[in-house]
Amino acid sequence: MSTLARVPDVDVQDATETDSVGGVRPRLVARPTSTEQVSQLLSAAAEDDLVVVPRGRGTKLRWGVPPRSVDVLLDLSGMDRVLEHQAGDLIVAAEAGTPLAAMQDTCARADQRLAIDELVPGTTIGGLIATNLSGPRRMAYGTMRDLLIGVTVVRPDGVVAKAGGKVVKNVAGYDLGKLMTGSFGTLAVVTSAFFRLHPVPETSTWVSVEAESPSAAAETVRQAVHSQMVPAAVEIDAQPGRPTLVSALLEGTEVGVAGRVDQLLRLWGDTAAVDTQERPRGFPRESESQALLKLTCAISAVPEIAQAAVDLGLHVRGSAGTGVLFAALPDGTPPKTVASALERLRERTTAAGGAAVLLDAPPEISTAVDAWGPVPGIELMRRVKERFDPENLLSPGRFVGGI
């Protein structure tokens, strides 16, 4: 621990129970305020073979699998500055601990936005990159991986690396930004990033229609996804004993959206309506004690997968336009039942070209369930991990295959 104490001007304190990562309590919490301090801390930690796990605001720290051990929790919440906003070039740069909402406020002054939905309130830029989280608008604008154009990271040995930036160039070697996206902090610590922005549309309107079940909604989904209305999102919300809701988001100019809304209402029929209710668009659960699954599949298989989840008693919500769904089990579901439901849905999603993973759950469930399942390309992933973190000191065990 003495090497960490020698890093100047960094707050290093004993950890408490609230700093636990998936039930694993670290010994220390270090709070750097710059990339240079992150570099010094990681270098010092590597010298003493200390295991480090990065944290932003801790909103998704329980996701994935709990780490095998944690010595130092690297708290990046003090690195929360929007570094640069070039409105003319539709580019913004921010530190990893910057809340997405704060960065959106900055961009909104120029009627611009990062086209990523905030599914988890309080989420930070670094957390979004680590988990590759996106919401309904991924259908039109892509995911974090598509909008990230530059990144600064610190390797586990303390070496600072940069890739991309304001101008994207084709170069040889690793695509660092894409490697970091969805890596759960197992390869390097992201300290800042550049993003491509989009103009805020003049107006946005949801149109919704109900169906008896996910299976009965298949034609409605197909019509929206393949229509000429070019929706920014097509969502499905289904749960046992309730009608299935299909919604489409139309964005653009006032005149253009009005015309497309009329077309969609005619296409979906008399029961369709402009959705004036403020409906939840995030995860389909009421409590964090509920196990949350992520289900992916071919777009054409969304009604089938949603129906299978509802038949197992799950509440499903997500993007019918991209084949990415989230499903919550009832509160109090025992680990054995969670594992059984996950395995059955894994069979269905695999056959439909996707996967089923346990995204978030209390430690008593996440430690008892195979969260990731079989992953194609796992040996390649292990070789990448070996290149970046040969001593396995960064978030060991949090990612697929024990990476």
Side-chain angles (χ1 to χ4, degrees):
M1 303 299 175
S2 59
T3 52
L4 287 186
R6 290 201 299 270
V7 178
D9 303 322
V10 176
D11 179 25
V12 180
Q13 303 286 339
D14 291 335
T16 67
E17 194 62 37
T18 59
D19 297 311
S20 296
V21 183
V24 182
R25 180 173 172 171
R27 287 185 283 165
L28 294 173
V29 179
R31 297 181 173 86
T33 56
S34 68
T35 296
E36 291 72 23
Q37 289 186 348
V38 172
S39 172
Q40 292 171 335
L41 285 166
L42 289 184
S43 178
E47 190 176 323
D48 282 351
D49 292 328
L50 300 180
V51 171
V52 177
V53 173
R55 175 182 74 180
R57 301 283 169 148
T59 57
K60 297 176 287 299
L61 205 59
R62 212 176 57 171
W63 289 21
V65 177
R68 285 190 285 274
S69 64
V70 187
D71 294 308
V72 182
L73 188 68
L74 193 66
D75 185 342
L76 301 172
S77 61
M79 299 179 63
D80 59 354
R81 296 174 299 164
V82 177
L83 301 172
E84 188 175 357
H85 177 208
Q86 293 191 4
D89 293 327
L90 290 166
I91 290 171
V92 67
E95 292 181 315
T98 307
L100 174 62
M103 195 178 79
Q104 298 285 38
D105 287 344
T106 298
C107 299
R109 295 170 196 154
D111 292 327
Q112 296 176 357
R113 67 182 179 184
L114 177 65
I116 293 288
D117 300 282
E118 187 170 10
L119 295 187
V120 180
T123 194
T124 62
I125 297 305
L128 280 173
I129 295 172
T131 58
N132 193 24
L133 181 63
S134 58
R137 288 177 176 83
R138 67 179 293 158
M139 180 178 176
Y141 301 98
T143 66
M144 177 59 70
R145 183 172 279 128
D146 303 304
L147 300 173
L148 178 67
I149 60 173
V151 66
T152 298
V153 306
V154 182
R155 295 187 338 200
D157 58 3
V159 172
V160 178
K162 297 182 179 181
K166 301 174 188 175
V167 179
V168 179
K169 298 179 181 178
N170 292 322
V171 296
Y174 291 119
D175 187 330
L176 199 55
K178 285 184 169 55
L179 276 179
M180 294 301 115
T181 308
S183 65
F184 277 73
T186 57
L187 299 179
V189 175
V190 175
T191 57
S192 65
F194 279 91
F195 301 98
R196 180 162 57 97
L197 302 175
H198 288 84
V200 175
E202 280 184 22
T203 190
S204 301
T205 301
W206 285 93
V207 177
S208 298
V209 65
E210 289 184 349
E212 290 183 358
S213 66
S215 295
E219 179 61 15
T220 302
V221 170
R222 190 196 66 77
Q223 288 174 332
V225 171
H226 298 290
S227 74
Q228 300 299 312
M229 276 72 83
V230 195
V234 176
E235 294 282 291
I236 189 169
D237 190 323
Q239 54 185 311
R242 301 281 296 273
T244 295
L245 188 71
V246 179
S247 304
L249 174 64
L250 302 170
E251 294 188 328
T253 63
E254 296 277 359
V255 173
V257 168
R260 289 152 60 205
V261 166
D262 287 342
Q263 291 181 56
L264 188 56
L265 290 173
R266 288 196 296 272
L267 182 67
W268 276 354
D270 296 339
T271 58
V274 172
D275 199 337
T276 57
Q277 299 183 45
E278 186 58 36
R279 298 181 189 276
R281 308 290 180 187
F283 298 136
R285 63 177 182 177
E286 305 297 328
S287 164
E288 290 191 354
S289 61
Q290 293 178 257
L292 182 69
L293 312 183
K294 181 179 180 180
L295 312 174
T296 59
C297 62
I299 296 173
S300 59
V302 165
E304 170 200 336
I305 298 302
Q307 185 67 63
V310 169
D311 290 344
L312 289 169
L314 280 66
H315 183 180
V316 185
R317 182 185 298 153
S319 176
T322 61
V324 180
L325 307 173
F326 299 100
L329 287 94
D331 206 357
T333 302
K336 187 175 181 180
T337 304
V338 174
S340 174
L342 180 58
E343 186 59 31
R344 293 174 70 177
L345 290 169
R346 191 166 279 157
E347 292 175 3
R348 302 292 291 266
T349 53
T350 300
V357 301
L358 177 68
L359 189 64
D360 183 28
E364 62 270 22
I365 294 176
S366 60
T367 54
V369 172
D370 178 8
W372 299 103
V375 178
I378 185 63
E379 291 308 318
L380 176 61
M381 294 181 186
R382 289 198 171 109
R383 289 200 295 274
V384 172
K385 171 70 171 178
E386 174 67 21
R387 287 294 186 93
F388 277 81
D389 184 17
E391 304 302 324
N392 206 18
L393 295 177
L394 201 54
S395 306
R398 291 207 72 200
F399 200 36
V400 297
I403 291 176

